[in-house]
CSV table of all heavy atoms in Angstrom, one decimal:
chain,number,residue,atom,x,y,z
A,179,ASP,N,73.4,-74.5,-19.1
A,179,ASP,CA,72.2,-75.3,-18.6
A,179,ASP,C,71.2,-74.3,-18.1
A,179,ASP,O,71.5,-73.4,-17.3
A,179,ASP,CB,72.6,-76.3,-17.5
A,179,ASP,CG,73.4,-77.4,-18.1
A,179,ASP,OD1,73.3,-77.7,-19.3
A,179,ASP,OD2,74.0,-78.2,-17.3
A,180,TYR,N,69.9,-74.5,-18.5
A,180,TYR,CA,68.9,-73.6,-18.1
A,180,TYR,C,67.8,-74.5,-17.5
A,180,TYR,O,67.7,-75.7,-17.8
A,180,TYR,CB,68.2,-73.0,-19.3
A,180,TYR,CG,69.2,-72.0,-20.1
A,180,TYR,CD1,70.1,-72.6,-21.0
A,180,TYR,CD2,69.3,-70.7,-19.9
A,180,TYR,CE1,71.0,-71.8,-21.7
A,180,TYR,CE2,70.2,-69.9,-20.6
A,180,TYR,CZ,71.0,-70.5,-21.5
A,180,TYR,OH,71.9,-69.7,-22.2
A,181,ALA,N,66.9,-73.9,-16.7
A,181,ALA,CA,65.8,-74.6,-16.1
A,181,ALA,C,64.5,-74.2,-17.0
A,181,ALA,O,64.5,-73.1,-17.7
A,181,ALA,CB,65.4,-74.2,-14.7
A,182,ILE,N,63.5,-75.1,-17.1
A,182,ILE,CA,62.3,-74.8,-17.8
A,182,ILE,C,61.1,-75.1,-16.9
A,182,ILE,O,61.1,-76.1,-16.2
A,182,ILE,CB,62.2,-75.6,-19.1
A,182,ILE,CG1,62.3,-77.1,-18.8
A,182,ILE,CG2,63.2,-75.2,-20.2
A,182,ILE,CD1,62.0,-78.0,-20.1
A,183,THR,N,60.2,-74.1,-16.8
A,183,THR,CA,59.0,-74.4,-16.0
A,183,THR,C,58.0,-75.3,-16.8
A,183,THR,O,58.0,-75.3,-18.0
A,183,THR,CB,58.4,-73.0,-15.7
A,183,THR,OG1,58.0,-72.3,-16.9
A,183,THR,CG2,59.3,-72.2,-14.9
A,184,CYS,N,57.2,-75.9,-16.0
A,184,CYS,CA,56.3,-76.9,-16.7
A,184,CYS,C,54.9,-76.7,-16.2
A,184,CYS,O,54.3,-77.5,-15.4
A,184,CYS,CB,56.8,-78.3,-16.3
A,184,CYS,SG,58.4,-78.7,-17.0
A,185,GLY,N,54.3,-75.6,-16.6
A,185,GLY,CA,52.9,-75.3,-16.2
A,185,GLY,C,52.8,-74.6,-14.9
A,185,GLY,O,53.4,-73.5,-14.7
A,186,LEU,N,52.1,-75.2,-14.0
A,186,LEU,CA,51.9,-74.6,-12.6
A,186,LEU,C,53.2,-74.3,-12.0
A,186,LEU,O,54.2,-75.1,-12.1
A,186,LEU,CB,51.0,-75.5,-11.7
A,186,LEU,CG,49.6,-75.8,-12.2
A,186,LEU,CD1,48.9,-76.6,-11.3
A,186,LEU,CD2,48.9,-74.5,-12.5
A,187,LEU,N,53.3,-73.3,-11.2
A,187,LEU,CA,54.6,-72.8,-10.7
A,187,LEU,C,55.1,-73.9,-9.6
A,187,LEU,O,56.3,-73.9,-9.3
A,187,LEU,CB,54.4,-71.5,-9.9
A,187,LEU,CG,54.1,-70.3,-10.9
A,187,LEU,CD1,53.9,-69.0,-10.1
A,187,LEU,CD2,55.3,-70.1,-11.9
A,188,SER,N,54.2,-74.7,-9.0
A,188,SER,CA,54.5,-75.7,-8.1
A,188,SER,C,55.1,-77.0,-8.7
A,188,SER,O,55.6,-77.8,-8.1
A,188,SER,CB,53.4,-76.0,-7.2
A,188,SER,OG,52.2,-76.4,-8.0
A,189,ASN,N,55.0,-77.1,-10.1
A,189,ASN,CA,55.4,-78.3,-10.7
A,189,ASN,C,56.9,-78.4,-10.7
A,189,ASN,O,57.6,-77.4,-10.9
A,189,ASN,CB,54.8,-78.4,-12.2
A,189,ASN,CG,53.3,-78.7,-12.2
A,189,ASN,OD1,52.8,-79.1,-11.2
A,189,ASN,ND2,52.7,-78.4,-13.3
A,190,PRO,N,57.5,-79.6,-10.8
A,190,PRO,CA,58.9,-79.7,-10.9
A,190,PRO,C,59.4,-79.1,-12.2
A,190,PRO,O,58.7,-79.2,-13.3
A,190,PRO,CB,59.2,-81.2,-10.8
A,190,PRO,CG,58.0,-81.8,-10.2
A,190,PRO,CD,56.9,-80.9,-10.6
A,191,ARG,N,60.6,-78.6,-12.2
A,191,ARG,CA,61.2,-77.9,-13.4
A,191,ARG,C,62.0,-79.0,-14.2
A,191,ARG,O,62.5,-79.9,-13.7
A,191,ARG,CB,62.0,-76.7,-13.0
A,191,ARG,CG,61.2,-75.6,-12.5
A,191,ARG,CD,62.1,-74.4,-12.0
A,191,ARG,NE,61.3,-73.3,-11.6
A,191,ARG,CZ,61.8,-72.2,-11.1
A,191,ARG,NH1,63.2,-72.1,-10.8
A,191,ARG,NH2,61.0,-71.2,-10.8
A,192,GLY,N,62.0,-78.7,-15.5
A,192,GLY,CA,62.8,-79.5,-16.4
A,192,GLY,C,64.2,-78.8,-16.6
A,192,GLY,O,64.5,-77.8,-16.1
A,193,VAL,N,65.0,-79.5,-17.5
A,193,VAL,CA,66.4,-79.0,-17.8
A,193,VAL,C,66.5,-78.8,-19.3
A,193,VAL,O,66.1,-79.7,-20.0
A,193,VAL,CB,67.4,-79.9,-17.2
A,193,VAL,CG1,68.8,-79.4,-17.5
A,193,VAL,CG2,67.2,-80.1,-15.8
A,194,LEU,N,67.1,-77.7,-19.7
A,194,LEU,CA,67.4,-77.4,-21.1
A,194,LEU,C,69.0,-77.2,-21.2
A,194,LEU,O,69.6,-76.3,-20.6
A,194,LEU,CB,66.8,-76.2,-21.5
A,194,LEU,CG,67.1,-75.7,-22.9
A,194,LEU,CD1,66.8,-76.7,-24.0
A,194,LEU,CD2,66.4,-74.3,-23.2
A,195,HIS,N,69.6,-78.2,-21.9
A,195,HIS,CA,71.1,-78.1,-22.1
A,195,HIS,C,71.3,-77.4,-23.5
A,195,HIS,O,70.7,-77.8,-24.5
A,195,HIS,CB,71.7,-79.4,-22.2
A,195,HIS,CG,71.5,-80.3,-20.9
A,195,HIS,ND1,72.1,-80.1,-19.7
A,195,HIS,CD2,70.6,-81.4,-20.7
A,195,HIS,CE1,71.7,-80.9,-18.9
A,195,HIS,NE2,70.8,-81.8,-19.4
A,196,VAL,N,72.2,-76.4,-23.5
A,196,VAL,CA,72.5,-75.7,-24.8
A,196,VAL,C,74.0,-75.9,-24.9
A,196,VAL,O,74.8,-75.5,-24.1
A,196,VAL,CB,72.2,-74.2,-24.7
A,196,VAL,CG1,72.5,-73.5,-25.9
A,196,VAL,CG2,70.7,-74.0,-24.4
A,197,THR,N,74.3,-76.6,-26.1
A,197,THR,CA,75.7,-76.9,-26.4
A,197,THR,C,76.3,-75.8,-27.2
A,197,THR,O,75.6,-75.2,-28.1
A,197,THR,CB,75.8,-78.3,-27.0
A,197,THR,OG1,75.0,-78.2,-28.2
A,197,THR,CG2,75.3,-79.3,-26.1
A,198,PRO,N,77.7,-75.7,-27.3
A,198,PRO,CA,78.3,-74.6,-28.2
A,198,PRO,C,78.1,-75.0,-29.7
A,198,PRO,O,77.9,-76.1,-30.0
A,198,PRO,CB,79.8,-74.8,-27.8
A,198,PRO,CG,79.8,-75.4,-26.4
A,198,PRO,CD,78.6,-76.3,-26.3
A,199,SER,N,78.0,-73.9,-30.5
A,199,SER,CA,77.9,-74.2,-31.9
A,199,SER,C,78.8,-73.2,-32.7
A,199,SER,O,78.9,-72.0,-32.2
A,199,SER,CB,76.5,-74.1,-32.4
A,199,SER,OG,76.0,-72.7,-32.3
A,200,ALA,N,79.3,-73.6,-33.8
A,200,ALA,CA,80.2,-72.7,-34.6
A,200,ALA,C,79.4,-71.5,-35.1
A,200,ALA,O,79.9,-70.4,-35.2
A,200,ALA,CB,80.8,-73.4,-35.7
A,201,ALA,N,78.1,-71.7,-35.5
A,201,ALA,CA,77.3,-70.7,-36.1
A,201,ALA,C,77.0,-69.6,-35.0
A,201,ALA,O,77.1,-68.4,-35.3
A,201,ALA,CB,76.0,-71.3,-36.5
A,202,ALA,N,76.8,-70.0,-33.8
A,202,ALA,CA,76.5,-69.0,-32.7
A,202,ALA,C,77.8,-68.2,-32.4
A,202,ALA,O,77.8,-67.0,-32.1
A,202,ALA,CB,76.0,-69.7,-31.4
A,203,ASP,N,79.0,-68.9,-32.4
A,203,ASP,CA,80.2,-68.2,-32.1
A,203,ASP,C,80.5,-67.2,-33.2
A,203,ASP,O,80.9,-66.1,-32.9
A,203,ASP,CB,81.3,-69.3,-32.1
A,203,ASP,CG,81.3,-70.1,-30.9
A,203,ASP,OD1,80.5,-69.8,-29.9
A,203,ASP,OD2,82.0,-71.2,-30.9
A,204,ALA,N,80.2,-67.5,-34.5
A,204,ALA,CA,80.5,-66.6,-35.5
A,204,ALA,C,79.6,-65.4,-35.4
A,204,ALA,O,80.0,-64.2,-35.7
A,204,ALA,CB,80.3,-67.3,-36.9
A,205,GLU,N,78.3,-65.6,-35.1
A,205,GLU,CA,77.3,-64.5,-34.9
A,205,GLU,C,77.7,-63.6,-33.8
A,205,GLU,O,77.6,-62.3,-33.9
A,205,GLU,CB,75.9,-65.1,-34.7
A,205,GLU,CG,74.8,-64.1,-34.7
A,205,GLU,CD,73.4,-64.7,-34.6
A,205,GLU,OE1,73.3,-65.9,-34.9
A,205,GLU,OE2,72.5,-64.0,-34.1
A,206,ALA,N,78.2,-64.2,-32.7
A,206,ALA,CA,78.6,-63.4,-31.5
A,206,ALA,C,79.8,-62.5,-31.9
A,206,ALA,O,79.9,-61.3,-31.5
A,206,ALA,CB,79.0,-64.2,-30.4
A,207,ALA,N,80.7,-63.0,-32.7
A,207,ALA,CA,82.0,-62.3,-33.1
A,207,ALA,C,81.6,-61.1,-34.0
A,207,ALA,O,82.4,-60.1,-34.1
A,207,ALA,CB,82.9,-63.2,-33.8
A,208,ALA,N,80.4,-61.2,-34.7
A,208,ALA,CA,80.0,-60.1,-35.6
A,208,ALA,C,79.2,-59.0,-35.0
A,208,ALA,O,78.7,-58.2,-35.7
A,208,ALA,CB,79.3,-60.8,-36.8
A,209,GLN,N,79.0,-59.1,-33.7
A,209,GLN,CA,78.2,-58.0,-33.0
A,209,GLN,C,78.9,-56.6,-33.2
A,209,GLN,O,80.1,-56.5,-33.2
A,209,GLN,CB,78.1,-58.3,-31.5
A,209,GLN,CG,77.3,-59.6,-31.2
A,209,GLN,CD,75.8,-59.3,-31.5
A,209,GLN,OE1,75.2,-58.4,-30.9
A,209,GLN,NE2,75.2,-60.2,-32.3
Side-chain angles (χ1 to χ4, degrees):
D179 286 344
Y180 301 81
I182 54 175
T183 59
C184 297
L186 299 179
L187 295 175
S188 54
N189 289 345
R191 291 177 176 174
V193 180
L194 173 62
H195 305 287
V196 180
T197 57
S199 74
D203 291 344
E205 187 174 339
Q209 290 292 304

